[in-house]
Amino acid sequence: VQLQASGGGLVQAWGSLRLSCAASGRTFSSYAMGWFRQAPGKEREFVARITWSSGNTYYLATVKGRFTISRDNAKNTGYLQMNSLKPEDTAVYYCAASSRPSTFASDYNYWGQGTLVTVSS
């Protein structure tokens, strides 16, 4: 599976962005999808994940209620809707695909190239 993340940019605090993750290659719908982020000087951290059927989602506690992960298997695309953004959300965001839903980056076999989200105060 090849993944292409897009939709990042500069936004003011309390603003919104929607990230997209376009998949090609193997059947996207067979994989769970996750979003991770990496801020400058910090380790990559889990943000959200969704099962292949979109039946189950799970979020990092600090984004729950503000971010929504979703997917459209017919379009081979996943999304991360981010609302009420805070400066601490500034990071490079990566989408990833795994054979099973997980919060661990090591469980994901396929990664997009990352898209930068910058939130100004």
Side-chain angles (χ1 to χ4, degrees):
V1 177
Q2 291 79 46
L3 303 174
Q4 179 83 22
S6 62
L10 174 64
V11 63
Q12 290 187 331
W14 302 107
S16 298
L17 280 176
R18 188 175 81 156
L19 305 184
S20 297
C21 179
S24 61
R26 295 188 178 185
T27 307
F28 176 64
S29 59
S30 299
Y31 294 88
M33 187 187 75
W35 285 94
F36 291 77
R37 67 186 181 186
Q38 188 166 17
K42 294 187 177 181
E43 295 187 352
R44 189 171 300 191
E45 69 173 351
F46 165 80
V47 175
R49 63 105 172 115
I50 188 168
T51 56
W52 67 272
S53 64
S54 301
N56 184 271
T57 57
Y58 187 77
Y59 297 90
L60 176 70
T62 55
V63 308
K64 191 174 183 179
R66 299 188 296 122
F67 291 10
T68 302
I69 188 172
S70 63
R71 64 192 296 168
D72 185 338
N73 289 333
K75 295 182 178 180
N76 283 344
T77 303
Y79 305 96
L80 185 67
Q81 177 68 44
M82 305 185 296
N83 299 327
S84 302
L85 283 161
K86 304 176 181 180
E88 51 264 42
D89 294 319
T90 294
V92 177
Y93 283 72
Y94 299 88
C95 61
S98 173
S99 58
R100 60 189 183 99
S102 173
T103 61
F104 297 100
S106 58
D107 287 334
Y108 287 79
N109 308 99
Y110 307 98
W111 291 83
Q113 84 289 1
T115 185
L116 176 62
V117 172
T118 303
V119 184
S120 63
S121 56

